Amino acid sequence: MFIDGVGLGEPDPAVNALADHAPFMTALLGGGAPTAAVAPAVSERASLVALDATLGAAGLPQSGTGQAALLTGTDAVALHGRHFGPWVPTRLRPLVREQSILARAKRAGRTVAFANAYPEELVAAAAQPRSRNRRLPHFLRAGPPLAALGAGVLDRHTAALERGDAVASEIVNDGWRERLGRSTVPPIEAAAAGRNLAHIAAQNDLTLFAHYSTDTVGHLRSLDAAREAIRRVDAFLEGVLAALPAHVLLVIASDHGNLEDCRAGHTRNPALLVAAGPKHRAFVAGLAALTDIAPAIGRALGCADWRAAATPSAG
């Protein structure tokens, strides 16, 4: 589960909504809220790790290069020469399509899925040949759908969301109903959406879900909005873990800090990583940066060696 723009910040509820508005995650971690003050932390059920999102570069970490690093295990900041966002840089998009955790796991014979629903007309339009002056649609410039496209699993649309076989990126379905006019898509609470994600994950070796509203809300610099966003994510996680089969490991990772400090926008705080479920302690051992996550998932899946650096294709 990718959650955009969530770092480990101060344990001060006056600036950090995670300090007191994530009760399920706090209980999951043994009573310590997910802040810099408690990381690293290990409980019976889960582990919390602080991930370096700067990758040794100056400036504020950004979503484009952060997501590319997280999804591929490659130092996308070094390849691009600086932090870049909000979209994956053009020259790094082939890297994300071809070398993401989804694409590589699929080539290794594992069953993979992208749980997010996208409107079928947008995906169909994106598949049409583009002229030199026609830009890639916004949703396909973000790392997770770009990775799903490369792996051939950008395939859940309105009908899947209607029957609970997909999850909206916002977790609840309000945006589909109100902004897209999909009145046939039923309303859903965050916990129920989490249970739907768990059912999808139970059918695959690797499932990716991406949530972006945390970063969007972080840019508002509103503590109230941050609290509401974290409450939704917290309820969603509770729903996921209530229905997730006992043998499945849940990995929650972010690309950079933002939401954890309502005063700042993007931060240089470490990004959040939580692993919950079987062998969570072994999974997080030695993880320290965004580039460590894809190789760790590859090892957990029993795939081939993930340590070799990937390089982007031309184009």
Side-chain angles (χ1 to χ4, degrees):
M1 177 179 170
F2 166 71
I3 52 176
D4 200 347
V6 179
L8 296 178
E10 302 173 21
D12 181 358
V15 298
N16 184 0
L18 283 93
D20 65 346
H21 277 70
F24 176 75
M25 198 181 307
T26 298
L28 184 68
L29 295 170
T35 67
V38 303
V42 178
S43 72
E44 181 179 350
R45 298 183 64 194
S47 297
L48 171 71
V49 172
L51 292 178
D52 174 30
T54 70
L55 300 180
L60 294 175
Q62 302 292 326
S63 292
T65 43
Q67 291 170 20
L70 193 65
L71 290 164
T72 68
T74 300
D75 188 343
V77 179
L79 282 177
H80 187 64
R82 61 185 175 91
H83 296 292
F84 182 88
W87 314 116
V88 175
T90 301
R91 69 177 295 268
L92 298 187
R93 290 172 192 168
L95 168 71
V96 176
R97 287 196 301 266
E98 299 163 16
Q99 300 296 335
S100 79
I101 181 67
L102 290 177
R104 294 181 71 175
K106 186 174 182 180
R107 288 197 295 270
R110 305 299 184 266
T111 56
V112 303
F114 184 51
N116 289 61
Y118 279 85
E120 52 271 28
E121 67 273 16
L122 293 184
V123 176
Q128 297 300 313
R130 295 190 303 278
S131 67
R132 182 177 298 272
N133 295 324
R134 184 181 166 214
R135 303 179 71 187
L136 198 66
H138 282 177
F139 78 94
L140 277 181
R141 300 181 206 170
L146 195 60
L149 180 68
V153 291
L154 190 63
D155 54 6
R156 296 174 192 265
H157 310 302
T158 303
L161 193 59
E162 289 172 344
R163 62 178 183 265
D165 287 336
V167 182
S169 65
E170 295 175 326
I171 297 175
V172 296
N173 294 339
D174 296 1
W176 281 70
R177 292 172 55 79
E178 297 168 6
R179 293 193 296 275
L180 296 177
R182 302 295 212 273
S183 59
T184 56
V185 172
I188 193 168
E189 295 185 349
R195 292 191 292 271
N196 286 346
L197 178 58
H199 295 322
I200 296 168
Q203 302 170 49
N204 298 281
D205 296 319
L206 174 64
T207 300
L208 172 64
F209 171 72
H211 177 64
Y212 308 98
S213 298
T214 40
D215 187 57
T216 303
V217 166
H219 285 289
L220 299 177
R221 303 189 185 185
S222 163
L223 183 60
D224 288 341
R227 287 170 171 169
E228 182 179 352
I230 285 300
R231 283 195 294 264
R232 177 181 294 182
V233 169
D234 203 54
F236 180 66
L237 293 179
E238 186 170 10
V240 172
L241 285 172
L244 202 64
H247 68 279
V248 179
L249 177 70
L250 173 65
V251 178
I252 307 157
S254 190
D255 52 353
H256 58 77
N258 185 352
L259 185 76
E260 77 284 357
D261 191 335
C262 69
R263 304 164 299 184
H266 282 209
T267 72
R268 286 178 63 85
N269 288 334
L272 174 143
L273 170 68
V274 174
K279 301 181 180 179
H280 62 86
R281 294 177 182 85
F283 178 83
V284 303
L287 303 187
L290 298 182
T291 49
D292 296 331
I293 305 309
I297 293 173
R299 291 192 294 270
L301 289 169
C303 296
D305 182 29
W306 282 71
R307 289 172 294 181
T311 55
S313 301

